[in-house]
Amino acid sequence: MTTEQKVIRKLSAILSADVKGYSRLMTDDEASTIKTLKDYRVVMSDIIKQHSGRVVDAPGDNVLAEFPSAVNAIQCSVEIQNALKEKNTDLPVDKRLVFRIGVNIGDVVQDGDSLYGEGVNIAARIEGLANPGGVCISRNAYDHIKNKLKLGYEYIGEHAVKNIKDPVRVYKVLMEPEDAGKLIGEKSSYFRKKWPRLALAAVVILVSIIVWQFYYQKSPNIEAASVENMAFPLPEKPSIAVLAFDNMTGDPAQDYFSDGLTEEIITALSKIGSMFVIARNTTFTYKGKPVKVKQVAEDLGVRYVLEGSVRKTEDRLRITAQLIDALKGHHLWAERYDRDLKDIFVIQDDITKKIITALNVKLTGKQYSYAYAKGTDNLQAYLKLLQLGALVHRSDLKESNVLKRQLAEEAIALDLNYAWAYDYLGWTHLNDIYYGMTKDFAKSWKTAFELGQKAQSLDEKTANTLLGSLYLLKGQYDKGVAEAERFVEFFPNDSNAQFTMGRFLMAADRVEKAIPFYKKALRLDPYAIAPYFYNLGAAYWMMGQYEEAISECKKGLQRFPDDLFTHMVLVVSYIETGNVEGARKSAAEVLRINPKISLDWCGKILHWKNKDIVARWIDDLRKVGLK
C-alpha cells in the first residue's frame, strides 16, 4: 500500500452475485460458459453503473459491487435478474447462466479499490440463500427500502452466518408486479414491540396448562424403549422415525394426501446432515398397525418417533402431530392444526421447525434454506405431485407410468416453474427405456435429459438421480457420479441418495467405495426395497467376497422372495464358491420368475464400465444353463 492510500471505514450497500451450478457448467462446456459469463458481466456492469454503483471485484463466477444506498443496490439487483432472464431465453437450457444475488447494507473497510469487513461477508453469505434468478436481502437493507420500492418481500427467517456473531434476518425479494407491497412471513410491528409481554403471558398460560394436565389429567402411558434392546446401534446425533400419518377421513382414496404429508416431512428432515432420519420405505411398514412407540424405536434404533393424523375435507384440514422421546417415554410436544387446505405448506414447515427446535438441532444457513425450500406455491400443482408420488409404489409399472406422466404434465401446466414436476416427468421418459416401452431410445433419452436440465435450472436440488442415470446409459460414468455426489450433498440423510451414490460408483468400477454407501442406505432404510440388497450383494461379488454377497441376498429374499435380480446375484455367487447345487436352485427360481430370460438381455441391463466384470457375470449364468 502506498502512502497515498488510506484505509477508509464507511457504510455501504453491497451486492454479491454468483452463478448457480457454475462448476458443472464449466465441466460440461468450459469455452461456452466462459464466453457467456463475459457477456453477462458486461450487462451487469452496465446496469451497476446506471444505478450509481461500482464493480469492486469479479473473481471466477462472482461479482461484488458497491452502492451509495440500498435503494440503488436492490433496484439494480432486480434489473440484473430481469435482464439476464431475457438473455437466457436465447440459450439452450444446459448453457444458461443463472445468478443468485444477495444484498446487505453495513460497515465495510475500503483499502484502495478493495472492500472488506462484515458488510461484505453478510452479502456473500445471504446470496447463497437466494433462489436461482432471485434476490435475498438482509434486514438492514430491508429497513432502508421497505417503503420505497414497488416490490414485495418474504421473510425467510434468521440465519447463522460464518464469522458473524449474531444470526442475520433475511428477506426474499418478490419481483413480480402482483407482489408489490406484499410482506409474507413476518409478524406485524405491533407484535414485535409487544412480544415481551405476550411471551410472559404465553409462559403463564403454558405453565397453567402443564400444571392442570399434571394434576387433573392422566398422561398417556408410553413404555420407554431400551438402548440394549435396539436392533441397531443408536446414532450419536438426534435420530427419528416419522410414522405414516393416519388418514382419518375414512376414505382410502385420500391416503395419497396423508402419505404425501408424511413423505414431505421426512424429505425436509433428510436434508439436515446433523440428524439421522429413517426412510419412508421402512416407517411405512408400520402403516395401519397398532404399533407401540417402544417397538418402533427398538426395531429401528432411533430415539425419537413422530406420529400424527390427517382429516381433510374439500378446503379444510385438521392435522395432529406429536413428537415422542422413546427412551424417556414422554411427549416432547404435541400440536393440532385446524387450517385451510391452502395452509398445508405453512403446516409442513411448522412441524419441521418444531422437530428441529425440540431436538436442539443447529442449522447452518444452507441447511435452513434446504429444509424449508418450497417446490411450489400452487396448491393444485402440489396435490398433483402428491397423487403421482402415491403411484411410485405400485407394482403395475407400465400402466402407472402413463398416469405419472399425465399428472406431471398437469402439474407443470399449473406451475411452469415447478422443478420437481419436470423431474418426475423426465423419469416417465426414462422409464419408457427401462420398461421397454419406447421404440426410439435416442428420442426418449433426449426428452428425459432436457426435462432433467430444465428441473435443475429451476432448482439445483432436483433431477440428480434422473440425469445421473441417463449419463450411465451413455457410459458417461464420471458425470453420473458427480450427479450422485450432489444428491448426497443436498440430502445427506436420504437412503435413496446413499443408494444412488453406491450404485453409480459401482457402475464406474469404484466398487470398494460403493459398499459404505450401500451400508448407510440400509441403516437408514432397514426394510428397504429389493435393489438395496441385491446391489450390495453384487458389489461383494465384484470384490470376490462371495459369502457376504450370499448373505445380503438371503436377507433380501426374506422380504422379497420373488425378486429376479436377487436370485441372479445368488446364482453367480454360488458359482464362484463352487456350490453348483445352490446355483442351480437359484437359476430355477430365475426361470420361474421370468421363463423368457436370456443372456443377451442380462448383458444389456448391466451398465457397468468394467466389461470384464460383465463378461464374468454372463459366463457364471451360462454355467447353470441359462442361454
Side-chain angles (χ1 to χ4, degrees), residues 26-38:
M26 288 289 284
T27 300
D28 291 346
D29 191 339
E30 186 177 271
S32 173
T33 300
I34 292 173
K35 181 179 181 299
T36 304
L37 181 60
K38 288 180 178 179

Side-chain angles (χ1 to χ4, degrees), residues 413-434:
L414 290 163
D415 182 353
L416 294 175
N417 294 314
Y418 197 177
W420 286 106
Y422 289 101
D423 187 356
Y424 277 113
L425 183 58
W427 268 106
T428 68
H429 290 278
L430 178 55
N431 287 339
D432 282 347
I433 297 173
Y434 284 161

Side-chain angles (χ1 to χ4, degrees), residues 140-351:
N140 285 350
Y142 171 76
D143 285 340
H144 281 77
I145 53 87
K146 57 186 176 183
N147 298 319
K148 296 182 175 67
L149 299 175
K150 292 182 179 180
L151 298 168
Y153 307 93
E154 179 183 356
Y155 176 59
I156 60 173
E158 293 186 345
H159 297 265
V161 177
K162 186 176 180 181
N163 297 326
I164 305 298
K165 180 180 179 182
D166 298 320
V168 177
R169 300 178 72 183
V170 180
Y171 295 75
K172 181 168 69 174
V173 178
L174 307 177
M175 297 183 281
E176 297 299 326
E178 61 268 25
D179 292 325
K182 287 184 181 179
L183 175 58
I184 301 172
E186 187 183 56
K187 296 177 182 178
S188 69
S189 59
Y190 171 82
F191 287 102
R192 290 200 303 273
K193 292 175 182 176
K194 300 293 185 181
W195 78 264
R197 277 176 282 177
L198 292 173
L200 179 60
V203 170
V204 172
I205 293 170
L206 181 60
V207 170
S208 299
I209 291 172
I210 291 172
V211 171
W212 180 81
Q213 288 185 326
F214 182 82
Y215 284 104
Y216 297 102
Q217 277 196 324
K218 184 178 180 181
S219 297
N221 184 23
I222 302 174
E223 187 179 358
S226 167
V227 174
E228 290 74 20
N229 293 335
M230 288 188 174
F232 302 93
L234 187 67
E236 294 182 1
K237 50 189 175 182
S239 51
I240 187 170
V242 180
L243 298 180
F245 277 41
D246 293 328
N247 171 17
M248 303 299 289
T249 64
D251 179 7
Q254 294 297 316
D255 274 1
Y256 83 90
F257 188 86
S258 53
D259 290 354
L261 171 63
T262 310
E263 292 188 52
E264 289 287 313
I265 295 169
I266 293 172
T267 298
L269 295 175
S270 72
K271 299 173 186 177
I272 303 168
S274 50
M275 292 184 66
F276 180 92
V277 185
I278 293 292
R280 179 255 190 227
N281 284 330
T282 288
T283 60
F284 271 58
T285 60
Y286 298 100
K287 182 180 176 180
K289 300 176 182 177
V291 65
K292 293 183 178 180
V293 168
K294 175 181 183 293
Q295 179 188 342
V296 173
E298 291 181 350
D299 284 353
L300 307 181
V302 295
R303 176 165 182 171
Y304 303 101
V305 176
L306 180 76
E307 56 185 13
S309 65
V310 180
R311 187 183 298 277
K312 173 180 170 287
T313 62
E314 185 175 346
D315 58 358
R316 292 289 296 176
L317 279 176
R318 171 172 289 179
I319 295 176
T320 65
Q322 52 186 0
L323 181 65
I324 301 162
D325 184 334
L327 291 186
K328 294 185 177 179
H330 70 71
H331 291 80
L332 290 178
W333 63 263
E335 189 76 61
R336 188 177 82 173
Y337 303 86
D338 285 296
R339 307 283 280 273
D340 291 336
L341 180 59
K342 63 183 175 60
D343 292 329
I344 182 62
F345 305 118
V346 177
I347 296 171
Q348 288 173 357
D349 280 357
D350 191 62
I351 292 173

Side-chain angles (χ1 to χ4, degrees), residues 568-587:
M568 288 178 66
V569 177
L570 275 176
V571 171
V572 297
S573 298
Y574 280 134
I575 284 293
E576 296 291 348
T577 62
N579 185 346
V580 178
E581 182 180 355
R584 286 174 177 168
K585 286 182 179 179
S586 294

